[in-house]
Amino acid sequence: MKLLVTGGAGFIGSNFILHMLEKYGGLRIICLDKLTYAADVSYLKKVWEKENFRFVKGDICDREAVYSLFAEEMPDAVVNFAAESHVDRSIGSPEIFLQTNVTGTSVLMDACLKYGTGRFHQISTDEVYGDLPADRPDLLFTEESPLRPSSPYSSSKAAADMLALAYFRTYGLPVTITRCSNNYGPFQHTEKLIPMVVSKCLSGEKIPVYGRGENVRDWIHVSDHCTAIEAVLSEGRTGQVYNVGGGCEMRNIDLVKMICSLTGRDESLIEFVPDRKGHDLRYGIDYSRLEKETGWHPRTDFAEGLKKTVEYYEKIL
Ligand SMILES: NC(=O)c1ccc[n+]([C@@H]2O[C@H](COP(=O)([O-])OP(=O)(O)OC[C@H]3O[C@@H](n4cnc5c(N)ncnc54)[C@H](O)[C@@H]3O)[C@@H](O)[C@H]2O)c1
């Protein structure tokens, strides 16, 4: 089995590669990554020298390079993590988000069609659904919820999802999609909430929190996201979308306070800053389809996972 993993030098992709190569001895993984500011090849150092791993620096939008890699490697499946992933950056400069997240996805799917790849798996996000009211905990996003993305980032991800489903229907490309909630764990860029807060706590700088910190996110440990993707690759139905969540909704302010306590810092470091434009209020995700069809379930206890994650960033920052 040969897997092409795009964006594998970023946060989730690198965790996925390490997980899969540790678990499956007979698997070969080719990682294609442009190495943007968000990437770090050191995340992959455990597998770098392995015979069944190959790293290729390249852009998923570069059709010629992508086709020649497919011709050479003939992957059995593609898992597409490659993306511009930071909402704030998308508000400042949307164009690169459209290019990588939409055009890049279509180039990969064209390559899958041309070279007869058996599966294209798109890594998507719960942000494609927009947001939910904070005072209705009974409401959750299901796979049938309408797509109502709020930011250029989530719009580009929604566009890619639509395109993937269109390639399934129009060309019969065997596509699956997972829409996951907020990931935490090792190897995340310090621009994202948890590593950012740990880094501010360590340096004793003010911790910026949007609005009053009342926005609610569902948190999942990255290792649970990786096993969800693994489950969909082996048991998922093509043409289907699968929600992935951690069953752990939390207000940003409560999360920031937990990190202050874990790092021994005073909550007086917290500084409320003007809210993000179009800031989604709450994400809540119903992942029962994935549980029913594959038996997958998130395993990591949040308090335990967060403690280990904070310890990891304390060590490396
Ligand atoms: N982080 C989360 O909480 C989360 C939640 C749900 C879904 N997702 C999705 O998961 C995927 C991975 O997210 P992440 O947090 O690991 O992102 P990340 O920003 O850490 O990593 C993205 C990787 O993609 C690479 N990349 C960017 N543009 C590329 C291009 N044109 N060609 C090839 N490689 C390119 C980068 O170099 C980087 O290694 C994204 O598609 C994101 O939308 C993330």
Side-chain angles (χ1 to χ4, degrees):
M1 173 84 175
K2 254 193 217 181
L3 207 55
L4 175 65
V5 176
T6 63
F11 167 42
I12 308 172
S14 58
N15 276 285
F16 179 73
I17 290 174
L18 299 190
H19 166 75
M20 293 297 278
L21 284 180
E22 183 159 325
K23 187 153 172 193
Y24 301 100
L27 181 68
R28 173 170 161 78
I29 291 187
I30 304 108
C31 171
L32 173 66
D33 198 299
K34 185 180 168 184
L35 297 184
T36 69
Y37 75 95
D40 187 337
V41 288
S42 77
Y43 301 156
L44 296 166
K45 70 170 183 273
K46 255 195 193 157
V47 296
W48 199 257
E49 300 292 335
K50 278 186 181 256
E51 267 177 26
N52 54 349
F53 176 74
R54 176 182 175 197
F55 180 82
V56 179
K57 181 173 188 285
D59 187 337
I60 58 166
C61 302
D62 181 346
R63 191 174 288 274
E64 211 177 300
V66 167
Y67 283 8
S68 89
L69 184 60
F70 271 70
E72 189 188 346
E73 291 283 359
M74 296 297 282
D76 299 298
V78 174
V79 183
N80 180 29
F81 293 93
E84 288 293 334
S85 67
H86 192 43
V87 175
D88 289 339
R89 285 178 189 262
S90 83
I91 293 168
S93 353
E95 200 177 331
I96 182 70
F97 284 74
L98 298 180
Q99 209 179 325
T100 289
N101 299 1
V102 186
T103 306
T105 302
S106 78
V107 169
L108 289 173
M109 291 193 295
D110 287 340
C112 288
L113 285 174
K114 187 171 161 73
Y115 294 95
T117 310
R119 175 72 74 85
F120 178 79
H121 183 73
Q122 174 68 359
I123 303 296
S124 185
T125 163
D126 62 353
E127 298 191 29
V128 297
Y129 298 119
D131 61 358
L132 292 164
D135 58 354
R136 289 288 308 274
D138 55 310
L139 293 181
L140 295 172
F141 297 130
T142 72
E143 290 85 353
E144 314 319 325
S145 298
L147 301 191
R148 290 193 307 116
S150 312
S151 68
Y153 162 68
S154 50
S155 310
S156 69
K157 295 297 290 184
D161 283 12
M162 295 290 92
L163 207 54
L165 293 173
Y167 270 61
F168 171 74
R169 169 126 186 214
T170 304
Y171 307 115
L173 182 69
V175 163
T176 41
I177 297 175
T178 41
R179 293 186 180 141
C180 190
S181 57
N182 279 47
N183 285 221
Y184 70 97
F187 309 155
Q188 192 167 28
H189 194 276
T190 47
E191 68 187 0
K192 301 287 170 62
L193 186 64
I194 291 179
M196 183 275 286
V197 175
V198 178
S199 119
K200 299 290 183 199
C201 284
L202 294 180
S203 64
E205 287 170 74
K206 287 282 180 196
I207 306 165
V209 173
Y210 281 131
R212 302 298 300 170
E214 274 160 5
N215 307 66
V216 174
R217 301 292 179 259
D218 173 63
W219 290 95
I220 179 171
H221 193 270
V222 63
S223 59
D224 285 322
H225 187 186
C226 292
T227 55
I229 299 162
E230 179 190 2
V232 171
L233 280 177
S234 67
E235 290 168 73
R237 287 176 293 136
T238 56
Q240 279 299 328
V241 174
Y242 293 90
N243 283 348
V244 183
C248 176
E249 285 187 39
M250 188 170 293
R251 293 189 315 164
N252 286 345
I253 188 67
D254 298 326
L255 173 61
V256 172
K257 286 180 178 173
M258 277 178 86
I259 299 173
C260 286
S261 151
L262 285 165
T263 53
R265 284 291 179 174
D266 198 86
E267 290 174 11
S268 61
L269 282 183
I270 296 171
E271 180 178 62
F272 293 115
V273 298
D275 211 352
R276 169 190 276 167
K277 286 182 187 157
H279 204 176
D280 283 336
L281 195 51
R282 174 181 159 243
Y283 304 133
I285 194 143
D286 174 347
Y287 48 88
S288 53
R289 173 181 289 173
L290 181 62
E291 289 191 303
K292 270 187 214 128
E293 290 190 22
T294 71
W296 173 88
H297 194 72
R299 304 268 168 218
T300 312
D301 170 72
F302 183 73
E304 189 54 34
L306 183 67
K307 185 168 172 279
K308 283 201 181 125
T309 302
V310 168
E311 283 165 5
Y312 163 82
Y313 288 111
E314 281 179 324
K315 229 187 267 163
I316 63 140
L317 290 176

